[in-house]
Amino acid sequence: MTPATVAPLLSVSDLRKSYGAIRAVDGVSFEVMPGEIFGVIGPNGSGKTTMFNSVLGQIRPNSGTVALQGRDITGLSPLALNHRGVGRTFQTLQVFGKMSVRDNLLVAAQEHKGSAWGRLFSPGDSGLGAKADALIEKFRLGHVAHQRAGELSYGQQKLVDIAMAFMSEPVLVLLDEPCAGVNPSLVGGISSLLKELNREHQGSFIVIEHNMDFVMDLCHRILVMVEGRVLAVGTPTEIRRNKAVLDAYLGN
Ligand SMILES: Nc1ncnc2c1ncn2[C@@H]1O[C@H](COP(=O)(O)OP(=O)(O)OP(=O)(O)O)[C@@H](O)[C@H]1O
Ligand SMILES: [Mg+2]
């Protein structure tokens, strides 16, 4: 597998999004390769989430293109992207607090299939129940599977949130701060889970995180955003040694 023969999974080209005078995303280009775990770091307000939302159809970019497996997906709705195998987690929790952990996963999958809520409780669940149970097991949520998600600890809810993104067997998952607010003892567990899911399914992930140890350990390559622009892209080792990154962000 030489780089020249492998086509990128995701190509983002000259993406721009402004809010009035604020250039939140100011000409961002990058590629994510199949099977790659791609980190996005940068100071607060540097445009990471806006870039995510522009890629994911949550907001419409002012200009630029996004292509998945060579096909233009710019401006497609989150649901349309979900059908093409793109999943996400949000910076803030998106679990349904009054539903059980297992039902949260089932609803996430139903959303992907675009079918009615009623099917959730129909006898033939097209293997979704088994898939939910497998993820519950993998995320070590078995003991709380039938508990309301809202009753769980914040860290456990975060795990449910992440598991939900994997119900649709996505080719690409975008995770916005999977470790935010999570007890440090759980951070290593989240990292191991993501590595395992990446190994097993060969899916690609884009991960925004402020936890530098987590990003450096997990990601194959890292993009550094500052003031809406790409300051650098490289391996963790390259990023750690990059003078511009050290000056502008890592602060050494
Ligand atoms: N809906 C909006 N309306 C106006 N300004 C916005 C909006 N969303 C984001 N911004 C601005 O765009 C810039 C980038 O914000 P964004 O949330 O993308 O940063 P971020 O890198 O994700 O930050 P953080 O690390 O704090 O999550 C900030 O200046 C922010 O205030
Ligand atoms: Mg953000």
Side-chain angles (χ1 to χ4, degrees):
M1 221 171 63
T2 61
T5 58
V6 180
L9 177 73
L10 184 81
S11 305
V12 173
S13 186
D14 201 19
L15 203 63
R16 289 170 196 274
K17 176 69 188 179
S18 294
Y19 293 106
I22 300 169
R23 292 183 186 167
V25 177
D26 193 13
V28 167
S29 303
F30 65 91
E31 289 181 338
V32 178
M33 304 309 288
E36 187 170 40
I37 306 183
F38 190 82
V40 178
I41 62 173
N44 292 116
S46 57
K48 303 180 298 295
T49 297
T50 307
M51 183 274 282
F52 251 38
N53 288 340
S54 305
V55 167
L56 286 158
Q58 217 79 36
I59 56 175
R60 192 172 281 275
N62 298 124
S63 63
T65 57
V66 183
L68 183 73
Q69 291 164 326
R71 292 199 197 102
D72 189 358
I73 57 162
T74 320
L76 288 190
S77 70
L79 186 62
L81 286 176
N82 207 241
H83 289 157
R84 283 167 175 74
V86 181
R88 81 166 299 176
T89 69
F90 289 83
Q91 192 164 348
T92 49
L93 279 174
Q94 301 285 316
V95 301
F96 300 103
K98 290 190 174 157
M99 290 173 63
S100 75
V101 167
R102 192 171 186 274
D103 285 347
N104 264 280
L105 295 194
L106 292 174
V107 164
Q110 293 293 330
E111 213 171 278
H112 168 67
K113 290 190 181 298
S115 52
W117 268 59
R119 280 190 51 194
L120 179 59
F121 303 104
S122 65
D125 68 359
S126 356
L128 291 178
K131 202 183 291 177
D133 292 336
L135 278 170
I136 283 167
E137 176 95 351
K138 185 180 288 300
F139 280 71
R140 299 206 179 90
L141 292 164
H143 59 299
V144 292
H146 299 285
Q147 219 166 300
R148 286 182 177 196
E151 292 167 0
L152 308 187
S153 72
Y154 183 83
Q156 284 176 322
Q157 290 190 49
K158 202 84 179 168
L159 289 177
V160 176
D161 202 33
I162 296 169
M164 283 166 73
F166 285 92
M167 275 301 284
S168 57
E169 293 182 358
V171 293
L172 176 68
V173 184
L174 288 83
L175 301 115
D176 197 347
E177 302 197 19
C179 301
V182 165
N183 191 305
S185 64
L186 191 60
V187 170
I190 293 177
S191 181
S192 304
L193 277 167
L194 292 177
K195 283 179 185 170
E196 206 175 312
L197 287 159
N198 174 252
R199 253 198 326 271
E200 286 171 7
H201 303 287
Q202 299 297 304
S204 300
F205 310 150
I206 308 181
V207 188
I208 295 178
E209 238 320 310
H210 287 287
N211 185 323
M212 218 45 66
D213 292 339
F214 174 86
V215 172
M216 294 287 174
D217 170 62
L218 176 69
C219 300
H220 300 122
R221 285 191 305 146
I222 296 165
L223 180 151
V224 186
M225 268 187 91
V226 173
E227 293 178 1
R229 294 174 161 273
V230 178
L231 182 69
V233 182
T235 63
T237 310
E238 287 165 351
I239 293 301
R240 262 201 209 97
R241 291 180 185 155
N242 185 303
K243 173 113 177 39
V245 175
L246 291 174
D247 289 347
Y249 182 42
L250 296 179
N252 297 22

